[in-house]
PDB file of all heavy atoms in Angstrom:
ATOM      1  N   THR G 134      15.368  -5.317  12.166  1.00  0.00           N
ATOM      2  CA  THR G 134      14.588  -5.368  13.400  1.00  0.00           C
ATOM      3  C   THR G 134      14.079  -3.964  13.721  1.00  0.00           C
ATOM      4  O   THR G 134      14.873  -3.027  13.829  1.00  0.00           O
ATOM      5  CB  THR G 134      15.438  -5.883  14.578  1.00  0.00           C
ATOM      6  OG1 THR G 134      15.940  -7.181  14.261  1.00  0.00           O
ATOM      7  CG2 THR G 134      14.622  -5.944  15.864  1.00  0.00           C
ATOM      8  N   VAL G 135      12.783  -3.825  13.855  1.00  0.00           N
ATOM      9  CA  VAL G 135      12.190  -2.524  14.147  1.00  0.00           C
ATOM     10  C   VAL G 135      11.126  -2.702  15.228  1.00  0.00           C
ATOM     11  O   VAL G 135      10.280  -3.595  15.138  1.00  0.00           O
ATOM     12  CB  VAL G 135      11.560  -1.881  12.886  1.00  0.00           C
ATOM     13  CG1 VAL G 135      11.011  -0.496  13.199  1.00  0.00           C
ATOM     14  CG2 VAL G 135      12.580  -1.808  11.745  1.00  0.00           C
ATOM     15  N   CYS G 136      11.195  -1.843  16.237  1.00  0.00           N
ATOM     16  CA  CYS G 136      10.239  -1.884  17.338  1.00  0.00           C
ATOM     17  C   CYS G 136       9.299  -0.682  17.227  1.00  0.00           C
ATOM     18  O   CYS G 136       9.733   0.430  16.937  1.00  0.00           O
ATOM     19  CB  CYS G 136      10.972  -1.849  18.676  1.00  0.00           C
ATOM     20  SG  CYS G 136      12.105  -3.251  18.872  1.00  0.00           S
ATOM     21  N   PHE G 137       8.039  -0.948  17.483  1.00  0.00           N
ATOM     22  CA  PHE G 137       6.981   0.051  17.355  1.00  0.00           C
ATOM     23  C   PHE G 137       6.216   0.150  18.662  1.00  0.00           C
ATOM     24  O   PHE G 137       6.086  -0.837  19.386  1.00  0.00           O
ATOM     25  CB  PHE G 137       5.966  -0.373  16.280  1.00  0.00           C
ATOM     26  CG  PHE G 137       6.547  -0.542  14.920  1.00  0.00           C
ATOM     27  CD1 PHE G 137       7.119  -1.748  14.541  1.00  0.00           C
ATOM     28  CD2 PHE G 137       6.518   0.504  14.012  1.00  0.00           C
ATOM     29  CE1 PHE G 137       7.658  -1.915  13.282  1.00  0.00           C
ATOM     30  CE2 PHE G 137       7.054   0.346  12.744  1.00  0.00           C
ATOM     31  CZ  PHE G 137       7.620  -0.862  12.377  1.00  0.00           C
ATOM     32  N   ALA G 138       5.664   1.333  18.913  1.00  0.00           N
ATOM     33  CA  ALA G 138       4.727   1.498  20.030  1.00  0.00           C
ATOM     34  C   ALA G 138       3.703   2.548  19.637  1.00  0.00           C
ATOM     35  O   ALA G 138       4.007   3.497  18.899  1.00  0.00           O
ATOM     36  CB  ALA G 138       5.451   1.918  21.299  1.00  0.00           C
ATOM     37  N   TRP G 139       2.487   2.354  20.116  1.00  0.00           N
ATOM     38  CA  TRP G 139       1.393   3.304  19.936  1.00  0.00           C
ATOM     39  C   TRP G 139       0.810   3.571  21.315  1.00  0.00           C
ATOM     40  O   TRP G 139       0.540   2.635  22.065  1.00  0.00           O
ATOM     41  CB  TRP G 139       0.314   2.731  19.027  1.00  0.00           C
ATOM     42  CG  TRP G 139       0.788   2.450  17.637  1.00  0.00           C
ATOM     43  CD1 TRP G 139       0.707   3.274  16.559  1.00  0.00           C
ATOM     44  CD2 TRP G 139       1.393   1.238  17.164  1.00  0.00           C
ATOM     45  NE1 TRP G 139       1.240   2.661  15.449  1.00  0.00           N
ATOM     46  CE2 TRP G 139       1.665   1.416  15.795  1.00  0.00           C
ATOM     47  CE3 TRP G 139       1.758   0.030  17.774  1.00  0.00           C
ATOM     48  CZ2 TRP G 139       2.272   0.437  15.018  1.00  0.00           C
ATOM     49  CZ3 TRP G 139       2.362  -0.951  17.015  1.00  0.00           C
ATOM     50  CH2 TRP G 139       2.618  -0.733  15.648  1.00  0.00           C
ATOM     51  N   ALA G 140       0.618   4.834  21.639  1.00  0.00           N
ATOM     52  CA  ALA G 140       0.064   5.206  22.944  1.00  0.00           C
ATOM     53  C   ALA G 140      -1.156   6.088  22.734  1.00  0.00           C
ATOM     54  O   ALA G 140      -1.152   6.969  21.873  1.00  0.00           O
ATOM     55  CB  ALA G 140       1.106   5.961  23.768  1.00  0.00           C
ATOM     56  N   ARG G 141      -2.172   5.817  23.515  1.00  0.00           N
ATOM     57  CA  ARG G 141      -3.391   6.634  23.499  1.00  0.00           C
ATOM     58  C   ARG G 141      -3.900   6.690  24.921  1.00  0.00           C
ATOM     59  O   ARG G 141      -4.269   5.662  25.494  1.00  0.00           O
ATOM     60  CB  ARG G 141      -4.437   6.022  22.575  1.00  0.00           C
ATOM     61  CG  ARG G 141      -5.635   6.949  22.385  1.00  0.00           C
ATOM     62  CD  ARG G 141      -6.667   6.364  21.460  1.00  0.00           C
ATOM     63  NE  ARG G 141      -7.362   5.302  22.162  1.00  0.00           N
ATOM     64  CZ  ARG G 141      -7.961   4.278  21.564  1.00  0.00           C
ATOM     65  NH1 ARG G 141      -7.934   4.148  20.274  1.00  0.00           N
ATOM     66  NH2 ARG G 141      -8.598   3.372  22.280  1.00  0.00           N
ATOM     67  N   GLY G 142      -3.902   7.893  25.488  1.00  0.00           N
ATOM     68  CA  GLY G 142      -4.270   8.007  26.899  1.00  0.00           C
ATOM     69  C   GLY G 142      -3.295   7.195  27.728  1.00  0.00           C
ATOM     70  O   GLY G 142      -2.094   7.304  27.564  1.00  0.00           O
ATOM     71  N   ARG G 143      -3.812   6.344  28.568  1.00  0.00           N
ATOM     72  CA  ARG G 143      -2.955   5.476  29.385  1.00  0.00           C
ATOM     73  C   ARG G 143      -2.717   4.120  28.722  1.00  0.00           C
ATOM     74  O   ARG G 143      -1.988   3.297  29.247  1.00  0.00           O
ATOM     75  CB  ARG G 143      -3.589   5.270  30.758  1.00  0.00           C
ATOM     76  CG  ARG G 143      -3.653   6.548  31.571  1.00  0.00           C
ATOM     77  CD  ARG G 143      -4.280   6.274  32.930  1.00  0.00           C
ATOM     78  NE  ARG G 143      -4.510   7.495  33.645  1.00  0.00           N
ATOM     79  CZ  ARG G 143      -3.680   7.988  34.562  1.00  0.00           C
ATOM     80  NH1 ARG G 143      -2.584   7.344  34.841  1.00  0.00           N
ATOM     81  NH2 ARG G 143      -3.973   9.108  35.169  1.00  0.00           N
ATOM     82  N   ARG G 144      -3.350   3.914  27.583  1.00  0.00           N
ATOM     83  CA  ARG G 144      -3.215   2.637  26.884  1.00  0.00           C
ATOM     84  C   ARG G 144      -1.976   2.636  26.002  1.00  0.00           C
ATOM     85  O   ARG G 144      -1.615   3.642  25.419  1.00  0.00           O
ATOM     86  CB  ARG G 144      -4.456   2.370  26.048  1.00  0.00           C
ATOM     87  CG  ARG G 144      -5.701   2.188  26.910  1.00  0.00           C
ATOM     88  CD  ARG G 144      -6.948   1.973  26.112  1.00  0.00           C
ATOM     89  NE  ARG G 144      -6.782   0.929  25.130  1.00  0.00           N
ATOM     90  CZ  ARG G 144      -7.471   0.852  23.996  1.00  0.00           C
ATOM     91  NH1 ARG G 144      -8.364   1.767  23.708  1.00  0.00           N
ATOM     92  NH2 ARG G 144      -7.268  -0.118  23.150  1.00  0.00           N
ATOM     93  N   MET G 145      -1.351   1.470  25.896  1.00  0.00           N
ATOM     94  CA  MET G 145      -0.121   1.337  25.136  1.00  0.00           C
ATOM     95  C   MET G 145      -0.106  -0.021  24.450  1.00  0.00           C
ATOM     96  O   MET G 145      -0.566  -1.011  25.003  1.00  0.00           O
ATOM     97  CB  MET G 145       1.066   1.442  26.090  1.00  0.00           C
ATOM     98  CG  MET G 145       2.413   1.315  25.465  1.00  0.00           C
ATOM     99  SD  MET G 145       3.039   2.811  24.728  1.00  0.00           S
ATOM    100  CE  MET G 145       3.154   3.875  26.140  1.00  0.00           C
ATOM    101  N   ARG G 146       0.427  -0.035  23.239  1.00  0.00           N
ATOM    102  CA  ARG G 146       0.600  -1.284  22.498  1.00  0.00           C
ATOM    103  C   ARG G 146       1.968  -1.225  21.834  1.00  0.00           C
ATOM    104  O   ARG G 146       2.384  -0.163  21.365  1.00  0.00           O
ATOM    105  CB  ARG G 146      -0.492  -1.404  21.435  1.00  0.00           C
ATOM    106  CG  ARG G 146      -0.454  -2.668  20.628  1.00  0.00           C
ATOM    107  CD  ARG G 146      -1.702  -2.790  19.768  1.00  0.00           C
ATOM    108  NE  ARG G 146      -1.681  -1.933  18.617  1.00  0.00           N
ATOM    109  CZ  ARG G 146      -1.276  -2.305  17.409  1.00  0.00           C
ATOM    110  NH1 ARG G 146      -0.862  -3.518  17.200  1.00  0.00           N
ATOM    111  NH2 ARG G 146      -1.303  -1.455  16.400  1.00  0.00           N
ATOM    112  N   SER G 147       2.675  -2.339  21.804  1.00  0.00           N
ATOM    113  CA  SER G 147       3.977  -2.360  21.147  1.00  0.00           C
ATOM    114  C   SER G 147       4.190  -3.710  20.479  1.00  0.00           C
ATOM    115  O   SER G 147       3.540  -4.699  20.819  1.00  0.00           O
ATOM    116  CB  SER G 147       5.103  -2.081  22.149  1.00  0.00           C
ATOM    117  OG  SER G 147       5.162  -3.085  23.143  1.00  0.00           O
ATOM    118  N   GLU G 148       5.103  -3.710  19.515  1.00  0.00           N
ATOM    119  CA  GLU G 148       5.458  -4.945  18.831  1.00  0.00           C
ATOM    120  C   GLU G 148       6.786  -4.772  18.112  1.00  0.00           C
ATOM    121  O   GLU G 148       7.238  -3.650  17.881  1.00  0.00           O
ATOM    122  CB  GLU G 148       4.372  -5.377  17.855  1.00  0.00           C
ATOM    123  CG  GLU G 148       4.119  -4.408  16.730  1.00  0.00           C
ATOM    124  CD  GLU G 148       2.902  -4.795  15.890  1.00  0.00           C
ATOM    125  OE1 GLU G 148       1.941  -5.343  16.439  1.00  0.00           O
ATOM    126  OE2 GLU G 148       2.941  -4.533  14.693  1.00  0.00           O
ATOM    127  N   THR G 149       7.381  -5.883  17.771  1.00  0.00           N
ATOM    128  CA  THR G 149       8.642  -5.901  17.038  1.00  0.00           C
ATOM    129  C   THR G 149       8.433  -6.634  15.728  1.00  0.00           C
ATOM    130  O   THR G 149       7.782  -7.674  15.690  1.00  0.00           O
ATOM    131  CB  THR G 149       9.740  -6.610  17.861  1.00  0.00           C
ATOM    132  OG1 THR G 149       9.908  -5.904  19.097  1.00  0.00           O
ATOM    133  CG2 THR G 149      11.061  -6.654  17.108  1.00  0.00           C
ATOM    134  N   LYS G 150       8.983  -6.065  14.663  1.00  0.00           N
ATOM    135  CA  LYS G 150       8.913  -6.677  13.328  1.00  0.00           C
ATOM    136  C   LYS G 150      10.321  -6.843  12.796  1.00  0.00           C
ATOM    137  O   LYS G 150      11.234  -6.120  13.181  1.00  0.00           O
ATOM    138  CB  LYS G 150       8.121  -5.783  12.359  1.00  0.00           C
ATOM    139  CG  LYS G 150       6.658  -5.687  12.666  1.00  0.00           C
ATOM    140  CD  LYS G 150       6.007  -6.988  12.357  1.00  0.00           C
ATOM    141  CE  LYS G 150       4.539  -6.817  12.068  1.00  0.00           C
ATOM    142  NZ  LYS G 150       3.914  -8.080  11.717  1.00  0.00           N
ATOM    143  N   ARG G 151      10.476  -7.793  11.880  1.00  0.00           N
ATOM    144  CA  ARG G 151      11.733  -7.954  11.152  1.00  0.00           C
ATOM    145  C   ARG G 151      11.429  -7.836   9.675  1.00  0.00           C
ATOM    146  O   ARG G 151      10.700  -8.666   9.118  1.00  0.00           O
ATOM    147  CB  ARG G 151      12.373  -9.289  11.494  1.00  0.00           C
ATOM    148  CG  ARG G 151      12.886  -9.275  12.924  1.00  0.00           C
ATOM    149  CD  ARG G 151      13.988 -10.277  13.162  1.00  0.00           C
ATOM    150  NE  ARG G 151      14.542 -10.094  14.494  1.00  0.00           N
ATOM    151  CZ  ARG G 151      14.029 -10.640  15.595  1.00  0.00           C
ATOM    152  NH1 ARG G 151      12.962 -11.391  15.518  1.00  0.00           N
ATOM    153  NH2 ARG G 151      14.599 -10.426  16.759  1.00  0.00           N
ATOM    154  N   PHE G 152      11.967  -6.785   9.074  1.00  0.00           N
ATOM    155  CA  PHE G 152      11.742  -6.533   7.656  1.00  0.00           C
ATOM    156  C   PHE G 152      12.964  -6.941   6.849  1.00  0.00           C
ATOM    157  O   PHE G 152      14.095  -6.837   7.308  1.00  0.00           O
ATOM    158  CB  PHE G 152      11.452  -5.045   7.428  1.00  0.00           C
ATOM    159  CG  PHE G 152      10.218  -4.553   8.128  1.00  0.00           C
ATOM    160  CD1 PHE G 152      10.302  -3.609   9.130  1.00  0.00           C
ATOM    161  CD2 PHE G 152       8.959  -5.027   7.776  1.00  0.00           C
ATOM    162  CE1 PHE G 152       9.168  -3.134   9.773  1.00  0.00           C
ATOM    163  CE2 PHE G 152       7.811  -4.567   8.422  1.00  0.00           C
ATOM    164  CZ  PHE G 152       7.924  -3.621   9.411  1.00  0.00           C
ATOM    165  N   ARG G 153      12.722  -7.368   5.637  1.00  0.00           N
ATOM    166  CA  ARG G 153      13.801  -7.741   4.712  1.00  0.00           C
ATOM    167  C   ARG G 153      14.042  -6.593   3.741  1.00  0.00           C
ATOM    168  O   ARG G 153      13.177  -5.776   3.508  1.00  0.00           O
ATOM    169  CB  ARG G 153      13.416  -8.992   3.938  1.00  0.00           C
ATOM    170  CG  ARG G 153      13.251 -10.214   4.830  1.00  0.00           C
ATOM    171  CD  ARG G 153      13.298 -11.492   3.979  1.00  0.00           C
ATOM    172  NE  ARG G 153      13.100 -12.666   4.771  1.00  0.00           N
ATOM    173  CZ  ARG G 153      14.046 -13.256   5.487  1.00  0.00           C
ATOM    174  NH1 ARG G 153      15.257 -12.763   5.499  1.00  0.00           N
ATOM    175  NH2 ARG G 153      13.786 -14.340   6.179  1.00  0.00           N
ATOM    176  N   GLY G 154      15.230  -6.609   3.176  1.00  0.00           N
ATOM    177  CA  GLY G 154      15.565  -5.624   2.162  1.00  0.00           C
ATOM    178  C   GLY G 154      16.646  -4.685   2.645  1.00  0.00           C
ATOM    179  O   GLY G 154      17.159  -4.797   3.761  1.00  0.00           O
ATOM    180  N   GLY G 155      16.988  -3.745   1.782  1.00  0.00           N
ATOM    181  CA  GLY G 155      17.997  -2.746   2.107  1.00  0.00           C
ATOM    182  C   GLY G 155      17.450  -1.674   3.024  1.00  0.00           C
ATOM    183  O   GLY G 155      16.283  -1.680   3.417  1.00  0.00           O
ATOM    184  N   ARG G 156      18.301  -0.719   3.319  1.00  0.00           N
ATOM    185  CA  ARG G 156      17.980   0.356   4.258  1.00  0.00           C
ATOM    186  C   ARG G 156      16.691   1.085   3.883  1.00  0.00           C
ATOM    187  O   ARG G 156      15.807   1.269   4.713  1.00  0.00           O
ATOM    188  CB  ARG G 156      19.159   1.331   4.309  1.00  0.00           C
ATOM    189  CG  ARG G 156      18.987   2.462   5.275  1.00  0.00           C
ATOM    190  CD  ARG G 156      20.244   3.328   5.329  1.00  0.00           C
ATOM    191  NE  ARG G 156      20.093   4.414   6.278  1.00  0.00           N
ATOM    192  CZ  ARG G 156      20.249   4.303   7.589  1.00  0.00           C
ATOM    193  NH1 ARG G 156      20.549   3.136   8.125  1.00  0.00           N
ATOM    194  NH2 ARG G 156      20.089   5.344   8.371  1.00  0.00           N
ATOM    195  N   ASP G 157      16.581   1.516   2.647  1.00  0.00           N
ATOM    196  CA  ASP G 157      15.404   2.257   2.215  1.00  0.00           C
ATOM    197  C   ASP G 157      14.143   1.406   2.348  1.00  0.00           C
ATOM    198  O   ASP G 157      13.098   1.888   2.789  1.00  0.00           O
ATOM    199  CB  ASP G 157      15.586   2.742   0.775  1.00  0.00           C
ATOM    200  CG  ASP G 157      14.514   3.725   0.372  1.00  0.00           C
ATOM    201  OD1 ASP G 157      14.395   4.782   1.026  1.00  0.00           O
ATOM    202  OD2 ASP G 157      13.786   3.432  -0.595  1.00  0.00           O
ATOM    203  N   SER G 158      14.253   0.148   1.985  1.00  0.00           N
ATOM    204  CA  SER G 158      13.101  -0.755   2.067  1.00  0.00           C
ATOM    205  C   SER G 158      12.657  -0.966   3.512  1.00  0.00           C
ATOM    206  O   SER G 158      11.458  -0.931   3.812  1.00  0.00           O
ATOM    207  CB  SER G 158      13.443  -2.100   1.417  1.00  0.00           C
ATOM    208  OG  SER G 158      12.371  -2.991   1.538  1.00  0.00           O
ATOM    209  N   VAL G 159      13.609  -1.176   4.413  1.00  0.00           N
ATOM    210  CA  VAL G 159      13.275  -1.369   5.831  1.00  0.00           C
ATOM    211  C   VAL G 159      12.591  -0.117   6.374  1.00  0.00           C
ATOM    212  O   VAL G 159      11.574  -0.201   7.076  1.00  0.00           O
ATOM    213  CB  VAL G 159      14.536  -1.709   6.660  1.00  0.00           C
ATOM    214  CG1 VAL G 159      14.263  -1.620   8.161  1.00  0.00           C
ATOM    215  CG2 VAL G 159      15.039  -3.104   6.294  1.00  0.00           C
ATOM    216  N   ARG G 160      13.100   1.048   6.028  1.00  0.00           N
ATOM    217  CA  ARG G 160      12.506   2.291   6.511  1.00  0.00           C
ATOM    218  C   ARG G 160      11.102   2.491   5.944  1.00  0.00           C
ATOM    219  O   ARG G 160      10.181   2.860   6.667  1.00  0.00           O
ATOM    220  CB  ARG G 160      13.417   3.459   6.163  1.00  0.00           C
ATOM    221  CG  ARG G 160      14.746   3.387   6.929  1.00  0.00           C
ATOM    222  CD  ARG G 160      15.721   4.462   6.497  1.00  0.00           C
ATOM    223  NE  ARG G 160      15.291   5.719   7.064  1.00  0.00           N
ATOM    224  CZ  ARG G 160      15.299   6.874   6.403  1.00  0.00           C
ATOM    225  NH1 ARG G 160      15.706   6.939   5.159  1.00  0.00           N
ATOM    226  NH2 ARG G 160      14.895   7.968   7.001  1.00  0.00           N
ATOM    227  N   ARG G 161      10.931   2.254   4.659  1.00  0.00           N
ATOM    228  CA  ARG G 161       9.606   2.416   4.034  1.00  0.00           C
ATOM    229  C   ARG G 161       8.588   1.448   4.648  1.00  0.00           C
ATOM    230  O   ARG G 161       7.459   1.843   4.967  1.00  0.00           O
ATOM    231  CB  ARG G 161       9.705   2.178   2.528  1.00  0.00           C
ATOM    232  CG  ARG G 161       8.359   2.322   1.804  1.00  0.00           C
ATOM    233  CD  ARG G 161       8.506   2.128   0.307  1.00  0.00           C
ATOM    234  NE  ARG G 161       9.362   3.128  -0.295  1.00  0.00           N
ATOM    235  CZ  ARG G 161       8.972   4.364  -0.616  1.00  0.00           C
ATOM    236  NH1 ARG G 161       7.730   4.738  -0.379  1.00  0.00           N
ATOM    237  NH2 ARG G 161       9.808   5.207  -1.159  1.00  0.00           N
ATOM    238  N   GLN G 162       8.990   0.194   4.823  1.00  0.00           N
ATOM    239  CA  GLN G 162       8.089  -0.786   5.439  1.00  0.00           C
ATOM    240  C   GLN G 162       7.734  -0.387   6.870  1.00  0.00           C
ATOM    241  O   GLN G 162       6.605  -0.606   7.326  1.00  0.00           O
ATOM    242  CB  GLN G 162       8.746  -2.172   5.440  1.00  0.00           C
ATOM    243  CG  GLN G 162       8.892  -2.788   4.065  1.00  0.00           C
ATOM    244  CD  GLN G 162       9.699  -4.071   4.128  1.00  0.00           C
ATOM    245  OE1 GLN G 162       9.144  -5.111   4.502  1.00  0.00           O
ATOM    246  NE2 GLN G 162      10.970  -4.006   3.785  1.00  0.00           N
ATOM    247  N   SER G 163       8.682   0.220   7.566  1.00  0.00           N
ATOM    248  CA  SER G 163       8.446   0.671   8.940  1.00  0.00           C
ATOM    249  C   SER G 163       7.407   1.788   8.986  1.00  0.00           C
ATOM    250  O   SER G 163       6.511   1.786   9.834  1.00  0.00           O
ATOM    251  CB  SER G 163       9.757   1.152   9.571  1.00  0.00           C
ATOM    252  OG  SER G 163      10.687   0.096   9.664  1.00  0.00           O
ATOM    253  N   VAL G 164       7.531   2.739   8.068  1.00  0.00           N
ATOM    254  CA  VAL G 164       6.565   3.842   8.014  1.00  0.00           C
ATOM    255  C   VAL G 164       5.166   3.295   7.724  1.00  0.00           C
ATOM    256  O   VAL G 164       4.192   3.659   8.392  1.00  0.00           O
ATOM    257  CB  VAL G 164       6.982   4.892   6.960  1.00  0.00           C
ATOM    258  CG1 VAL G 164       5.890   5.930   6.754  1.00  0.00           C
ATOM    259  CG2 VAL G 164       8.300   5.554   7.363  1.00  0.00           C
ATOM    260  N   ALA G 165       5.072   2.406   6.748  1.00  0.00           N
ATOM    261  CA  ALA G 165       3.771   1.826   6.395  1.00  0.00           C
ATOM    262  C   ALA G 165       3.182   1.061   7.579  1.00  0.00           C
ATOM    263  O   ALA G 165       1.985   1.190   7.882  1.00  0.00           O
ATOM    264  CB  ALA G 165       3.913   0.914   5.177  1.00  0.00           C
ATOM    265  N   HIS G 166       4.006   0.270   8.248  1.00  0.00           N
ATOM    266  CA  HIS G 166       3.509  -0.507   9.388  1.00  0.00           C
ATOM    267  C   HIS G 166       3.030   0.414  10.517  1.00  0.00           C
ATOM    268  O   HIS G 166       1.996   0.164  11.137  1.00  0.00           O
ATOM    269  CB  HIS G 166       4.588  -1.464   9.894  1.00  0.00           C
ATOM    270  CG  HIS G 166       4.106  -2.357  10.966  1.00  0.00           C
ATOM    271  ND1 HIS G 166       3.288  -3.441  10.726  1.00  0.00           N
ATOM    272  CD2 HIS G 166       4.283  -2.310  12.309  1.00  0.00           C
ATOM    273  CE1 HIS G 166       2.995  -4.031  11.862  1.00  0.00           C
ATOM    274  NE2 HIS G 166       3.578  -3.368  12.843  1.00  0.00           N
ATOM    275  N   ALA G 167       3.775   1.489  10.763  1.00  0.00           N
ATOM    276  CA  ALA G 167       3.384   2.429  11.815  1.00  0.00           C
ATOM    277  C   ALA G 167       2.035   3.072  11.500  1.00  0.00           C
ATOM    278  O   ALA G 167       1.182   3.191  12.391  1.00  0.00           O
ATOM    279  CB  ALA G 167       4.457   3.499  11.981  1.00  0.00           C
ATOM    280  N   LEU G 168       1.824   3.454  10.245  1.00  0.00           N
ATOM    281  CA  LEU G 168       0.547   4.070   9.860  1.00  0.00           C
ATOM    282  C   LEU G 168      -0.590   3.050   9.922  1.00  0.00           C
ATOM    283  O   LEU G 168      -1.702   3.385  10.339  1.00  0.00           O
ATOM    284  CB  LEU G 168       0.655   4.683   8.467  1.00  0.00           C
ATOM    285  CG  LEU G 168       1.529   5.944   8.393  1.00  0.00           C
ATOM    286  CD1 LEU G 168       1.778   6.337   6.949  1.00  0.00           C
ATOM    287  CD2 LEU G 168       0.897   7.080   9.179  1.00  0.00           C
ATOM    288  N   ARG G 169      -0.318   1.815   9.535  1.00  0.00           N
ATOM    289  CA  ARG G 169      -1.353   0.768   9.668  1.00  0.00           C
ATOM    290  C   ARG G 169      -1.701   0.574  11.134  1.00  0.00           C
ATOM    291  O   ARG G 169      -2.881   0.330  11.472  1.00  0.00           O
ATOM    292  CB  ARG G 169      -0.857  -0.550   9.060  1.00  0.00           C
ATOM    293  CG  ARG G 169      -0.900  -0.572   7.567  1.00  0.00           C
ATOM    294  CD  ARG G 169      -0.588  -1.976   7.014  1.00  0.00           C
ATOM    295  NE  ARG G 169      -0.186  -1.873   5.648  1.00  0.00           N
ATOM    296  CZ  ARG G 169       1.072  -1.966   5.195  1.00  0.00           C
ATOM    297  NH1 ARG G 169       2.058  -2.208   6.040  1.00  0.00           N
ATOM    298  NH2 ARG G 169       1.339  -1.842   3.922  1.00  0.00           N
ATOM    299  N   GLY G 170      -0.717   0.680  12.006  1.00  0.00           N
ATOM    300  CA  GLY G 170      -0.985   0.574  13.450  1.00  0.00           C
ATOM    301  C   GLY G 170      -1.886   1.677  13.946  1.00  0.00           C
ATOM    302  O   GLY G 170      -2.763   1.441  14.786  1.00  0.00           O
ATOM    303  N   VAL G 171      -1.709   2.877  13.431  1.00  0.00           N
ATOM    304  CA  VAL G 171      -2.596   3.989  13.795  1.00  0.00           C
ATOM    305  C   VAL G 171      -4.027   3.664  13.352  1.00  0.00           C
ATOM    306  O   VAL G 171      -4.981   3.863  14.104  1.00  0.00           O
ATOM    307  CB  VAL G 171      -2.121   5.317  13.158  1.00  0.00           C
ATOM    308  CG1 VAL G 171      -3.171   6.417  13.323  1.00  0.00           C
ATOM    309  CG2 VAL G 171      -0.793   5.751  13.780  1.00  0.00           C
ATOM    310  N   LEU G 172      -4.152   3.138  12.150  1.00  0.00           N
ATOM    311  CA  LEU G 172      -5.493   2.802  11.635  1.00  0.00           C
ATOM    312  C   LEU G 172      -6.162   1.709  12.465  1.00  0.00           C
ATOM    313  O   LEU G 172      -7.366   1.760  12.696  1.00  0.00           O
ATOM    314  CB  LEU G 172      -5.396   2.365  10.172  1.00  0.00           C
ATOM    315  CG  LEU G 172      -5.159   3.485   9.195  1.00  0.00           C
ATOM    316  CD1 LEU G 172      -4.737   2.945   7.830  1.00  0.00           C
ATOM    317  CD2 LEU G 172      -6.396   4.351   9.067  1.00  0.00           C
TER     318      LEU G 172
END
Side-chain angles (χ1 to χ4, degrees):
T134 302
V135 183
C136 300
F137 300 86
W139 297 266
R141 188 179 74 206
R143 294 181 188 263
R144 295 178 51 207
M145 180 82 63
R146 182 171 76 95
S147 63
E148 63 188 34
T149 300
K150 291 290 204 178
R151 290 204 173 85
F152 298 115
R153 296 197 182 279
R156 182 176 181 81
D157 191 59
S158 178
V159 168
R160 294 174 75 222
R161 180 178 298 279
Q162 291 173 79
S163 297
V164 172
H166 185 75
L168 289 170
R169 283 188 200 104
V171 170
L172 286 166

